[in-house]
């Protein structure tokens, strides 16, 4: 006796037709089927309600009909770049993103501290450099809590932590040694200011916060993140900074619950350590884990490669540029040099791992494209993350070398780029987020959110990709380099099949076709990029089961 199926009718079933690396252009018209038959955890048929297979299924009474009422069915979104544990933890942190300046940050924290006397430390997220034109210090936070608890604030981009004097003491930061590519900020007297950035943040602050979180808190954070992602329409995610603490929590959750109801591919974070041997030992750990948790042994929770954060961000003036920053004429010390990065890429490539390199500034982008072109097998689908200020030459080389452009359009939101003209000069801003060039030269595109550094709503991401306007502040009329916009079809494809392709999962998810996993989302929407802000996720299905309903 066959399994009872579900027939989805009276809707629009999206058939992208945009294969990764295909230049679909701005005006590719969408193709839709009018029904989809799901049986068990697989898609059995996508096509017309008049197809014989549908007539046979209806006649056998082996299906239940699900009336879509004119809604659109898209493949389940796959977030091409996020930080799972940090996202789950961030959902429970005090959000400062909407604060306009230091005084609003201070008043928000003061009110929270007074209302929450029982929490051992005050954890916040979302401060931005644009909120703090005169900088930030521990002293700015020291008078906000009558109980003098540690206050630790993640920057919006996660590249820095700002804390009060009690936080410095709890972290033990006075005893920290400088690390390659890290910034432990001190004043002219050598006293810690409470700002820890780049490799110092990753090496010291992240592990400390993980250590003070119980296993119960960490597994709860993962559950919260997965629930939030189901509500947003995701059925897959690609973690871009996996480490021992997060991996231990994931395995503990699987041991408790049996599985995690989302497809999870992970890139192991490799940090710059004092010696090459220490650095390469991290690659060896990724190789070891990938041999145990891979597409054959653990297809829904696997280690696929390594991630290296090769520079910082433009707002903090830590991205690697070929010309100095406009406002201070400084070049910043790179987080990784060519000599440091090359052996890491060689080791990972030799083991068949995928390689993901964070590169934002044009000098760093050139370096990583040079190294990937020379030492990464294109068949392993190497990728560059962010690619915010690429030269025209390097934009072309991505496609020429079959390097995936892993992009986060929400970072191109004009609401958060107001400092860029001052930092870069208007002439360089004209090269920002050159997505159109990546696509036109044949680079496979994978869309991600970089959550929790940015909003994770997938159609909000697509809105910015296609309009270059603000998702955060829709009233803004500014469009950032609209000539670099992507088309709606290619953006949706990049957020589904493209992201799945980037981690070798496109053979079973990312598109709606016979034999693929029944991972999909039902959306009440109009197929116009300017109207995406009004779209609404009404259902999310994972493995043929409804995991979210509005």
């Amino acid at each position: 006796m066959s399994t009872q199926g579900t027939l989805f009718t009276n809707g629009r079933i999206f058939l992208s037709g945009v294969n990764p690396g295909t230049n679909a252009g701005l005006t590719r018209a969408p193709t839709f089927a009018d029904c989809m038959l799901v049986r068990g955890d697989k898609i059995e048929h996508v096509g017309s309600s008049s197809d014989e297979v549908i007539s046979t299924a209806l006649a056998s009474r082996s299906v239940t009909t699900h009336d879509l009422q004119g809604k659109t069915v898209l493949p389940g979104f796959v977030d091409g770049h996020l930080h799972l544990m940090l996202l789950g933890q961030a959902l429970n942190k005090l959000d400062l993103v909407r604060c306009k300046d230091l005084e609003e940050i201070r008043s928000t924290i003061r009110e929270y501290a007074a209302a929450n006397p029982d929490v051992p430390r005050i954890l916040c997220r979302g401060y931005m450099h644009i909120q703090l034109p005169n900088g930030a210090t521990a002293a700015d936070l020291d008078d906000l809590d009558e109980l003098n608890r540690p206050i630790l604030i993640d920057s919006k981009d996660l590249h820095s932590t700002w804390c009060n004097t009690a936080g410095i003491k709890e972290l033990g930061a006075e005893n920290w040694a400088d690390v390659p590519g890290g910034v432990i900020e001190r004043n002219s007297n050598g006293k810690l200011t409470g700002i820890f950035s780049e490799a110092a943040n990753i090496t010291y602050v992240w592990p400390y916060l993980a250590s003070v979180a119980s296993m119960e808190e960490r597994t709860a954070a993962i559950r919260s993140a997965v629930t939030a992602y189901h509500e947003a329409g995701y059925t897959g995610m690609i973690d871009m900074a996996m480490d021992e603490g997060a991996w231990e929590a994931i395995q503990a959750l699987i041991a408790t619950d049996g599985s995690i109801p989302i497809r999870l591919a992970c890139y192991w974070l490799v940090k710059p350590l004092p010696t090459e041997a220490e650095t390469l030992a991290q690659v060896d750990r990724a190789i070891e884990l990938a041999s145990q948790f891979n597409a054959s042994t653990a297809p829904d929770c696997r280690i696929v490669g390594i991630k290296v954060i090769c520079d910082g961000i433009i707002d903090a003036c830590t991205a690697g540029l070929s010309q100095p920053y406009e406002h201070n004429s400084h070049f910043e010390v790179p987080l990784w040099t060519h000599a440091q990065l090359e052996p890491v890429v060689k080791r990972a490539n030799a083991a068949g791992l995928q390689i993901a390199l964070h590169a934002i500034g044009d000098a760093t982008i050139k370096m990583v494209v040079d190294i990937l072109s020379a030492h990464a097998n294109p068949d392993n689908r190497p990728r560059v993350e962010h690619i915010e200020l690429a030269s025209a030459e390097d934009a072309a080389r991505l496609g020429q070398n079959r390097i995936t452009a892993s992009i986060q359009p929400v970072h191109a939101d004009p609401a958060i780029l107001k400092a860029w003209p001052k930092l870069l000069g208007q002439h360089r801003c004209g090269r920002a987020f050159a997505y159109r060039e990546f696509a036109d030269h044949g680079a496979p595109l994978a869309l991600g959110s970089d959550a929790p550094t940015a909003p994770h709503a997938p159609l909000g991401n697509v809105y910015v990709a296609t309009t270059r306007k603000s998702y955060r502040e829709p009233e803004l009329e500014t469009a950032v380099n609209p000539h670099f916009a992507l088309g709606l079809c290619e953006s949706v494809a990049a957020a589904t099949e493209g992201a799945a392709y980037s981690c070798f999962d496109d053979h079973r998810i990312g598109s709606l076709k016979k034999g693929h996993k029944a991972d999909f989302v039902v959306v009440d929407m109009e197929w116009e990029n300017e109207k995406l802000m009004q779209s609404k996720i009404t259902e999310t299905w994972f493995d043929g089961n409804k995991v979210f309903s509005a």
Side-chain angles (χ1 to χ4, degrees):
M1 184 175 179
S2 63
T3 304
Q4 187 75 8
T6 303
L7 178 63
F8 294 83
T9 64
N10 189 26
R12 302 186 301 171
I13 317 298
F14 177 65
L15 308 175
S16 74
V18 182
N19 295 322
T22 299
N23 177 10
L26 287 169
T27 58
R28 168 75 69 90
T31 302
F32 297 105
D34 62 26
C35 74
M36 179 173 70
L37 176 59
V38 170
R39 203 180 298 275
D41 64 352
K42 298 282 179 57
I43 297 172
E44 187 170 293
H45 184 76
V46 179
S48 169
S49 56
S50 62
D51 291 343
E52 183 178 354
V53 64
I54 301 300
S55 301
T56 301
L58 288 171
S60 68
R61 299 184 180 180
S62 64
V63 297
T64 300
T65 299
H66 186 107
D67 186 353
L68 293 167
Q69 298 179 332
K71 297 182 180 68
T72 301
V73 176
L74 303 175
F77 288 101
V78 179
D79 193 330
H81 183 128
L82 89 156
H83 307 280
L84 173 58
M85 178 62 73
L86 294 174
L87 170 63
Q89 293 172 330
L91 294 172
N92 293 314
K93 292 183 180 181
L94 178 63
D95 190 356
L96 304 176
V97 166
R98 297 200 176 277
C99 294
K100 300 297 184 184
D101 52 28
L102 177 60
E103 282 311 307
E104 284 196 18
I105 289 173
R106 283 171 49 82
S107 63
T108 301
I109 295 173
R110 184 184 289 112
E111 290 173 8
Y112 177 87
N116 294 272
D118 297 329
V119 298
R121 59 190 61 82
I122 298 169
L123 302 179
C124 314
R125 64 183 174 103
Y127 88 83
M128 293 181 282
H129 299 280
I130 196 171
Q131 298 166 325
L132 305 163
N134 298 317
T137 68
D140 294 319
L141 306 174
D142 282 343
D143 62 341
L144 303 181
D145 177 30
E146 291 184 358
L147 301 178
N148 195 32
R149 289 165 292 183
I151 300 173
L152 296 96
I153 312 174
D154 300 330
S155 63
K156 184 189 72 66
D157 49 65
L158 297 181
H159 283 247
S160 300
T161 296
W162 168 26
C163 60
N164 65 350
T165 300
I168 293 173
K169 182 177 179 180
E170 181 177 75
L171 290 168
E174 293 286 1
N175 300 318
W176 289 350
D178 290 333
V179 293
V183 179
I184 300 174
E185 193 174 289
R186 297 178 173 87
N187 63 21
S188 58
N189 298 320
K191 182 179 179 180
L192 295 177
T193 67
I195 300 290
F196 309 104
S197 300
E198 306 303 345
N201 193 38
I202 297 169
T203 301
Y204 293 125
V205 181
W206 287 11
Y208 179 80
L209 290 175
S211 72
V212 298
S214 68
M215 182 59 71
E216 182 180 10
E217 289 171 330
R218 282 183 278 164
T219 55
I222 295 170
R223 285 194 186 97
S224 295
V226 171
T227 297
Y229 262 47
H230 286 163
E231 293 174 359
Y234 289 102
T235 56
M237 52 174 62
I238 300 175
D239 186 281
M240 274 293 166
M242 188 52 60
D243 60 15
E244 297 287 357
W247 187 249
E248 180 185 26
I250 288 168
Q251 294 308 309
L253 183 57
I254 291 172
T256 300
D257 292 1
S259 64
I260 299 174
I262 204 157
R263 319 276 176 209
L264 179 59
C266 306
Y267 288 77
W268 197 257
L269 182 63
V270 175
K271 297 173 285 191
L273 296 181
T275 69
E276 182 175 303
E278 291 175 287
T279 301
L280 290 177
Q282 300 170 92
V283 182
D284 292 340
R285 175 60 172 154
I287 295 168
E288 176 190 6
L289 287 170
S291 71
Q292 300 172 44
F293 302 94
N294 51 60
S296 298
T297 62
D300 292 332
C301 185
R302 56 204 168 98
I303 301 293
V304 299
I306 62 163
K307 159 77 176 302
V308 183
I309 302 174
C310 299
D311 68 349
I313 62 166
I314 287 167
D315 293 87
C317 301
T318 52
L321 302 182
S322 61
Q323 299 296 320
Y325 283 89
E326 188 81 4
H327 68 300
N328 62 12
S329 300
H330 287 179
F331 283 103
E332 297 304 319
V333 176
L335 302 186
W336 288 76
T337 65
H338 191 288
Q340 289 173 310
L341 184 60
E342 189 174 58
V344 169
V345 170
K346 285 182 175 180
R347 177 73 63 89
N349 182 71
L353 291 185
Q354 290 194 263
I355 300 163
L357 304 180
H358 162 128
I360 284 179
D362 63 330
T364 303
I365 292 169
K366 181 181 186 303
M367 177 184 72
V368 304
V369 174
D370 284 347
I371 291 175
L372 291 177
S373 300
H375 303 298
N377 182 350
D379 291 340
N380 291 339
R381 301 182 185 176
R383 51 193 290 161
V384 182
E385 309 301 308
H386 308 307
I387 333 176
E388 294 186 0
L389 200 68
S391 69
E393 294 77 15
D394 290 327
R397 288 204 295 155
L398 293 171
Q400 291 164 5
N401 292 283
R402 292 162 53 202
I403 298 169
T404 295
S406 175
I407 56 177
Q408 300 75 42
V410 280
H411 288 328
D413 191 312
I416 60 171
L417 301 179
K418 295 170 185 176
W420 279 38
K422 174 186 174 183
L423 301 177
L424 296 176
Q426 196 63 52
H427 61 294
R428 279 189 288 190
C429 290
R431 289 297 314 163
F433 307 99
Y435 302 158
R436 180 75 266 144
E437 290 184 354
F438 305 161
D440 287 349
H441 288 290
L445 301 179
L447 256 66
S449 72
D450 203 12
T453 75
H456 59 262
L459 290 174
N461 211 0
V462 171
Y463 174 79
V464 180
T466 57
T467 67
R468 310 287 288 202
K469 296 179 182 179
S470 179
Y471 171 73
R472 287 176 173 86
E473 299 178 19
E475 67 278 7
L476 283 181
E477 297 182 0
T478 306
V480 176
N481 295 337
H483 56 290
F484 288 148
L486 296 175
L488 183 49
C489 276
E490 65 185 343
S491 295
V492 171
T496 51
E497 186 172 6
Y501 166 91
S502 74
C503 65
F504 285 97
D505 224 6
D506 53 314
H507 64 287
R508 64 183 192 133
I509 65 170
S511 56
L512 303 175
K513 59 179 66 172
K514 180 179 178 179
H516 274 213
K517 287 287 191 176
D519 296 356
F520 56 93
V521 60
V522 181
V523 191
D524 190 356
M525 66 179 295
E526 293 186 53
W527 196 265
E528 294 182 36
N529 58 1
E530 294 285 354
K531 295 183 178 181
L532 288 172
M533 296 284 283
Q534 288 77 52
S535 62
K536 182 181 179 182
I537 305 295
T538 63
E539 297 176 14
T540 302
W541 292 69
F542 174 80
D543 250 356
N545 297 305
K546 191 192 304 184
V547 292
F548 168 73
S549 174

